[in-house]
Amino acid sequence: MTSTVPASLTRTAEDAALQAVLLDMDGTLVDTEGFWWDAEVEVFADLGHRLDEAWRDVVVGGPMTRSAGYLIEVTGADVSLDELTVLLNDRFEKRIGRGVPLMPGAERLLAELAGHGIPTALVSASHRRIIDQVLESLRPHRFGLTVAGDEVSRTKPNPEPYLVAAAGLGAAPERCAVIEDTATGVAAAEAAGCRVVAVPSVAPIAPAPGRQVVGSLEEVDLAFLRRLVSAPY
């Protein structure tokens, strides 16, 4: 039997196969988005300013420069961006030093991906000093690559971190599944051409072509990710 579908429009099983899984860290694998906000509240209190809860949705998931810069602007705090970055990282490190809780389903999913030999990368807007500390809870050997926010020229929502991760694992972006918890991270992954699973942590995220929204990582397994990557838009 001869196919009536033009060859240029067909996708073989190999073409549609999942090549790699790229995962965000804060709020996706570890329950630390609240830690960041607490650190910001405490640091600004020390500087004599009270943060409005409404600003939390603005800074969540963003790169340190954007989040810190925004908070300096809205509070008028007398502190430079470089000084504030150090203060926030120091305060956050103290908090995670007391333990980092994993998100529901994270341990099972990482174990499943490792067990099936799926190339996996951790892609975070957090700085390297933070990632290396959190990795102790996530088990660093599970990741073939980690990309920190201070190791790329443009971090999320720019696609560079996900393009760097895909290239580092030898994968095509369109055959990578990305798991993210914020609109900023989703925008970065989709701009890179990846398929996305959104697990909203603070602010809601709407479904879209090439994107699945779930309530928890407990809904995500390897079969789910393979279907996501192989499905047509």
Side-chain angles (χ1 to χ4, degrees), residues 18 23 26 48 56 60 69 90 100 102 107 138 160 165 174 198 202 206 220:
L18 174 70
L23 304 105
D26 295 300
R56 183 173 182 175
V60 66
D90 286 347
V100 180
L102 271 61
E107 174 67 27
L138 292 173
E160 182 180 347
E174 66 272 16
V202 177
V220 181

PDB file of all heavy atoms in Angstrom, residues 18 23 26 48 56 60 69 90 100 102 107 138 160 165 174 198 202 206 220:
ATOM      1  N   LEU A  18      11.256  10.982  22.204  1.00  0.00           N
ATOM      2  CA  LEU A  18      11.787  11.831  23.267  1.00  0.00           C
ATOM      3  C   LEU A  18      13.296  11.638  23.354  1.00  0.00           C
ATOM      4  O   LEU A  18      13.784  10.530  23.509  1.00  0.00           O
ATOM      5  CB  LEU A  18      11.128  11.450  24.592  1.00  0.00           C
ATOM      6  CG  LEU A  18      11.655  12.140  25.850  1.00  0.00           C
ATOM      7  CD1 LEU A  18      11.261  13.617  25.855  1.00  0.00           C
ATOM      8  CD2 LEU A  18      11.109  11.448  27.103  1.00  0.00           C
ATOM      9  N   LEU A  23      14.570  20.037  33.220  1.00  0.00           N
ATOM     10  CA  LEU A  23      13.730  20.388  34.359  1.00  0.00           C
ATOM     11  C   LEU A  23      14.190  21.655  35.059  1.00  0.00           C
ATOM     12  O   LEU A  23      15.385  21.839  35.314  1.00  0.00           O
ATOM     13  CB  LEU A  23      13.723  19.242  35.380  1.00  0.00           C
ATOM     14  CG  LEU A  23      13.284  17.876  34.859  1.00  0.00           C
ATOM     15  CD1 LEU A  23      14.501  16.968  34.704  1.00  0.00           C
ATOM     16  CD2 LEU A  23      12.272  17.231  35.778  1.00  0.00           C
ATOM     17  N   ASP A  26      13.607  25.428  41.203  1.00  0.00           N
ATOM     18  CA  ASP A  26      12.780  26.029  42.259  1.00  0.00           C
ATOM     19  C   ASP A  26      11.300  25.991  41.897  1.00  0.00           C
ATOM     20  O   ASP A  26      10.900  26.492  40.838  1.00  0.00           O
ATOM     21  CB  ASP A  26      13.213  27.479  42.498  1.00  0.00           C
ATOM     22  CG  ASP A  26      14.630  27.572  43.035  1.00  0.00           C
ATOM     23  OD1 ASP A  26      14.886  27.024  44.111  1.00  0.00           O
ATOM     24  OD2 ASP A  26      15.475  28.196  42.363  1.00  0.00           O
ATOM     25  N   GLY A  48      14.673  48.255  55.763  1.00  0.00           N
ATOM     26  CA  GLY A  48      13.658  49.222  56.161  1.00  0.00           C
ATOM     27  C   GLY A  48      12.459  49.318  55.254  1.00  0.00           C
ATOM     28  O   GLY A  48      11.758  50.332  55.251  1.00  0.00           O
ATOM     29  N   ARG A  56       4.728  39.459  44.656  1.00  0.00           N
ATOM     30  CA  ARG A  56       5.251  38.086  44.588  1.00  0.00           C
ATOM     31  C   ARG A  56       5.045  37.466  43.208  1.00  0.00           C
ATOM     32  O   ARG A  56       5.939  36.809  42.675  1.00  0.00           O
ATOM     33  CB  ARG A  56       4.573  37.223  45.649  1.00  0.00           C
ATOM     34  CG  ARG A  56       5.098  35.803  45.715  1.00  0.00           C
ATOM     35  CD  ARG A  56       4.504  35.069  46.894  1.00  0.00           C
ATOM     36  NE  ARG A  56       5.022  33.720  47.011  1.00  0.00           N
ATOM     37  CZ  ARG A  56       4.737  32.892  48.006  1.00  0.00           C
ATOM     38  NH1 ARG A  56       3.933  33.286  48.977  1.00  0.00           N
ATOM     39  NH2 ARG A  56       5.254  31.678  48.035  1.00  0.00           N
ATOM     40  N   VAL A  60       8.248  35.983  40.824  1.00  0.00           N
ATOM     41  CA  VAL A  60       8.383  34.528  40.840  1.00  0.00           C
ATOM     42  C   VAL A  60       8.905  34.014  39.500  1.00  0.00           C
ATOM     43  O   VAL A  60       8.473  34.433  38.433  1.00  0.00           O
ATOM     44  CB  VAL A  60       7.041  33.845  41.188  1.00  0.00           C
ATOM     45  CG1 VAL A  60       6.008  34.077  40.102  1.00  0.00           C
ATOM     46  CG2 VAL A  60       7.241  32.348  41.426  1.00  0.00           C
ATOM     47  N   GLY A  69      15.957  43.789  40.677  1.00  0.00           N
ATOM     48  CA  GLY A  69      15.831  45.128  40.120  1.00  0.00           C
ATOM     49  C   GLY A  69      14.433  45.689  40.290  1.00  0.00           C
ATOM     50  O   GLY A  69      14.260  46.877  40.598  1.00  0.00           O
ATOM     51  N   ASP A  90      22.744  34.960  49.989  1.00  0.00           N
ATOM     52  CA  ASP A  90      23.193  34.578  51.329  1.00  0.00           C
ATOM     53  C   ASP A  90      22.005  34.146  52.187  1.00  0.00           C
ATOM     54  O   ASP A  90      22.065  33.133  52.893  1.00  0.00           O
ATOM     55  CB  ASP A  90      23.913  35.747  52.009  1.00  0.00           C
ATOM     56  CG  ASP A  90      25.301  35.998  51.445  1.00  0.00           C
ATOM     57  OD1 ASP A  90      25.800  35.129  50.704  1.00  0.00           O
ATOM     58  OD2 ASP A  90      25.882  37.059  51.748  1.00  0.00           O
ATOM     59  N   VAL A 100      15.844  20.984  52.119  1.00  0.00           N
ATOM     60  CA  VAL A 100      15.098  21.359  50.923  1.00  0.00           C
ATOM     61  C   VAL A 100      14.055  20.286  50.638  1.00  0.00           C
ATOM     62  O   VAL A 100      14.399  19.161  50.276  1.00  0.00           O
ATOM     63  CB  VAL A 100      16.031  21.495  49.701  1.00  0.00           C
ATOM     64  CG1 VAL A 100      15.240  21.892  48.472  1.00  0.00           C
ATOM     65  CG2 VAL A 100      17.125  22.499  49.981  1.00  0.00           C
ATOM     66  N   LEU A 102      11.389  18.188  48.583  1.00  0.00           N
ATOM     67  CA  LEU A 102      11.108  17.903  47.184  1.00  0.00           C
ATOM     68  C   LEU A 102       9.611  18.028  46.923  1.00  0.00           C
ATOM     69  O   LEU A 102       8.796  17.781  47.807  1.00  0.00           O
ATOM     70  CB  LEU A 102      11.579  16.500  46.805  1.00  0.00           C
ATOM     71  CG  LEU A 102      13.027  16.375  46.296  1.00  0.00           C
ATOM     72  CD1 LEU A 102      14.017  16.832  47.353  1.00  0.00           C
ATOM     73  CD2 LEU A 102      13.315  14.959  45.854  1.00  0.00           C
ATOM     74  N   GLU A 107      10.790  12.829  43.287  1.00  0.00           N
ATOM     75  CA  GLU A 107      11.704  11.710  43.511  1.00  0.00           C
ATOM     76  C   GLU A 107      11.379  10.544  42.589  1.00  0.00           C
ATOM     77  O   GLU A 107      12.274   9.963  41.969  1.00  0.00           O
ATOM     78  CB  GLU A 107      11.628  11.275  44.971  1.00  0.00           C
ATOM     79  CG  GLU A 107      12.435  10.019  45.306  1.00  0.00           C
ATOM     80  CD  GLU A 107      13.938  10.224  45.179  1.00  0.00           C
ATOM     81  OE1 GLU A 107      14.401  11.368  45.340  1.00  0.00           O
ATOM     82  OE2 GLU A 107      14.632   9.227  44.911  1.00  0.00           O
ATOM     83  N   LEU A 138      18.775  16.545  45.447  1.00  0.00           N
ATOM     84  CA  LEU A 138      18.255  15.962  44.207  1.00  0.00           C
ATOM     85  C   LEU A 138      19.128  14.824  43.679  1.00  0.00           C
ATOM     86  O   LEU A 138      18.712  14.108  42.773  1.00  0.00           O
ATOM     87  CB  LEU A 138      18.148  17.052  43.135  1.00  0.00           C
ATOM     88  CG  LEU A 138      17.093  18.133  43.380  1.00  0.00           C
ATOM     89  CD1 LEU A 138      17.228  19.236  42.330  1.00  0.00           C
ATOM     90  CD2 LEU A 138      15.697  17.541  43.347  1.00  0.00           C
ATOM     91  N   GLU A 160      17.877  30.931  25.752  1.00  0.00           N
ATOM     92  CA  GLU A 160      19.265  30.472  25.795  1.00  0.00           C
ATOM     93  C   GLU A 160      19.514  29.325  26.764  1.00  0.00           C
ATOM     94  O   GLU A 160      20.183  28.336  26.396  1.00  0.00           O
ATOM     95  CB  GLU A 160      20.207  31.635  26.106  1.00  0.00           C
ATOM     96  CG  GLU A 160      21.673  31.207  26.123  1.00  0.00           C
ATOM     97  CD  GLU A 160      22.636  32.349  26.427  1.00  0.00           C
ATOM     98  OE1 GLU A 160      22.216  33.523  26.382  1.00  0.00           O
ATOM     99  OE2 GLU A 160      23.805  32.061  26.709  1.00  0.00           O
ATOM    100  N   ALA A 165      21.121  23.695  27.214  1.00  0.00           N
ATOM    101  CA  ALA A 165      20.914  22.372  27.814  1.00  0.00           C
ATOM    102  C   ALA A 165      20.683  21.312  26.746  1.00  0.00           C
ATOM    103  O   ALA A 165      21.269  20.217  26.802  1.00  0.00           O
ATOM    104  CB  ALA A 165      19.737  22.418  28.775  1.00  0.00           C
ATOM    105  N   GLU A 174      13.128  20.446  19.830  1.00  0.00           N
ATOM    106  CA  GLU A 174      11.752  19.995  19.599  1.00  0.00           C
ATOM    107  C   GLU A 174      11.500  18.569  20.067  1.00  0.00           C
ATOM    108  O   GLU A 174      10.353  18.118  20.151  1.00  0.00           O
ATOM    109  CB  GLU A 174      11.386  20.136  18.117  1.00  0.00           C
ATOM    110  CG  GLU A 174      12.157  19.232  17.176  1.00  0.00           C
ATOM    111  CD  GLU A 174      13.472  19.833  16.688  1.00  0.00           C
ATOM    112  OE1 GLU A 174      13.947  20.827  17.301  1.00  0.00           O
ATOM    113  OE2 GLU A 174      14.027  19.305  15.705  1.00  0.00           O
ATOM    114  N   ALA A 198       3.673  22.211  32.246  1.00  0.00           N
ATOM    115  CA  ALA A 198       3.620  23.271  33.251  1.00  0.00           C
ATOM    116  C   ALA A 198       2.968  22.736  34.510  1.00  0.00           C
ATOM    117  O   ALA A 198       1.889  22.142  34.454  1.00  0.00           O
ATOM    118  CB  ALA A 198       2.838  24.464  32.722  1.00  0.00           C
ATOM    119  N   VAL A 202       2.848  29.120  41.812  1.00  0.00           N
ATOM    120  CA  VAL A 202       2.318  30.329  42.444  1.00  0.00           C
ATOM    121  C   VAL A 202       1.193  30.926  41.612  1.00  0.00           C
ATOM    122  O   VAL A 202       0.081  31.098  42.092  1.00  0.00           O
ATOM    123  CB  VAL A 202       3.436  31.369  42.665  1.00  0.00           C
ATOM    124  CG1 VAL A 202       2.857  32.655  43.251  1.00  0.00           C
ATOM    125  CG2 VAL A 202       4.514  30.815  43.595  1.00  0.00           C
ATOM    126  N   ALA A 206      -2.001  28.812  31.604  1.00  0.00           N
ATOM    127  CA  ALA A 206      -3.042  28.254  30.741  1.00  0.00           C
ATOM    128  C   ALA A 206      -2.461  27.208  29.791  1.00  0.00           C
ATOM    129  O   ALA A 206      -1.302  27.318  29.377  1.00  0.00           O
ATOM    130  CB  ALA A 206      -3.707  29.366  29.939  1.00  0.00           C
ATOM    131  N   VAL A 220       2.834  13.064  36.142  1.00  0.00           N
ATOM    132  CA  VAL A 220       3.805  12.991  35.046  1.00  0.00           C
ATOM    133  C   VAL A 220       4.686  11.758  35.194  1.00  0.00           C
ATOM    134  O   VAL A 220       5.249  11.512  36.262  1.00  0.00           O
ATOM    135  CB  VAL A 220       4.690  14.253  35.020  1.00  0.00           C
ATOM    136  CG1 VAL A 220       5.680  14.195  33.857  1.00  0.00           C
ATOM    137  CG2 VAL A 220       3.833  15.504  34.927  1.00  0.00           C
TER     138      VAL A 220
END
